[in-house]
Amino acid sequence: MILAAETNESLAQMSNTLVYSSMAVYTLAFLAHIAEWVFGSRSKVGRTAAALTQPAAAAAKVTVQVKGAGGTTVLDRPKVVTRAAAGARDVPDGPGAAGGTVKGDLYGRIAISLTVLAFALEAVGVVTRAVSVQRAPWGNMYEFSTTFSTVAVGTYLGFLLAKKNVRWIGLPLVTTVLLDLGVATTWLYTESDQLVPALDSYWLWIHVSTAIFCGAVFYLGAVATLLYLFRDSYENKLANGGEPGSFARSVLERLPSAASLDKFSYRVNAAVFPLWTFTIIAGAIWAGDAWGRYWGWDAKEVWSFITWVGYAAYLHARATAGWKGRKAAYIALIAFGCFLFNYYGVNIFVSSKHSYAGV
């Protein structure tokens, strides 16, 4: 018995060491991402800016042989219209943080490699924490935070593995992960311990794991939505003949177009929304098992439902002509704000049945 307790304590200490090690590597990845943005070629970005002021569809022609007429004619290539934000402009995506240069790309690849290493260290730390207490590693806010950041980074790396153009998320993601882990290790840390009986259920694995995954995907969607608002304002200024500042040209020109960012945020939010619905339903079933009632208007339950309503309103707005674009983006950010308050605000400032382990 004593030997088992000492082993569990050693595993808990190892988990802490791995989490701190991942923070150190994430810091190096952060610096590498900064270098990627700083050393990206200005000239390449400048050429991209020039391309933004010209209609992309007018750049290509198609020559066809007209049978029977004996001559040729030149036809414009048909313009492909995608469903995105209302009034979306036909502009190309930027070259990315690296600016399309070898040097910038090198720093970017170093940043990705460091992110993979940090992700592996943190993931092993989360698993080690689980082994030390022999349960799911999300029984308190510290464990939830470390697991959340691990899943968020893992989702991002999954997009990269699938050859999706999402490397622009790297810098804001790593920055957020460092803040999340800093808060977790400084203010939210809780010694590993067993759960109260109401939480000792297989629904802990189902309900909380889906909530963590949904939050990670909602986070990626929120980053894309926020960048969409900046990029959309930038494109509007160019379209109206304005002159953006040097910082805007250096940063915003490298991002995907506003239409691409809007499409990405919509797709990820729409894809994970059914899973968030399942999360709420699973929580209600678990509440029925633990407390004898499926819904009791507890603070956590209320804000989970408010978050659901927020994302439902966003998806409805995206399907409504007058609410596409910036209006829908504002709703998406409000919905994600509700998710954050449901986690930090309710857990820290509101007393509820979900306040088992303090933080």
Side-chain angles (χ1 to χ4, degrees), residues 25 28-37 39 95-118 156-157 160-161 163 167-168 170-171 174:
V25 180
L28 295 177
F30 170 79
L31 296 175
H33 275 300
I34 291 292
E36 180 186 17
W37 281 94
F39 293 105
T101 64
V102 174
K103 187 175 183 179
D105 184 65
L106 174 62
Y107 283 110
R109 291 179 182 277
I110 292 174
I112 296 299
S113 299
L114 290 170
T115 302
V116 171
L117 176 58
Y156 164 67
L157 295 177
L160 289 177
L161 194 62
K163 306 297 183 183
R167 207 160 89 180
W168 43 272
L171 180 58
V174 171

Side-chain angles (χ1 to χ4, degrees), residues 265-306:
S265 61
Y266 169 69
R267 287 180 174 177
V268 297
N269 286 328
V272 82
F273 179 73
L275 189 60
W276 181 249
T277 305
F278 169 78
T279 301
I280 296 177
I281 295 173
I285 296 174
W286 187 10
D289 289 344
W291 303 320
R293 94 295 189 272
Y294 295 102
W295 191 266
W297 298 104
D298 182 70
K300 180 72 70 172
E301 296 168 350
V302 169
W303 278 96
S304 295
F305 180 67
I306 290 174

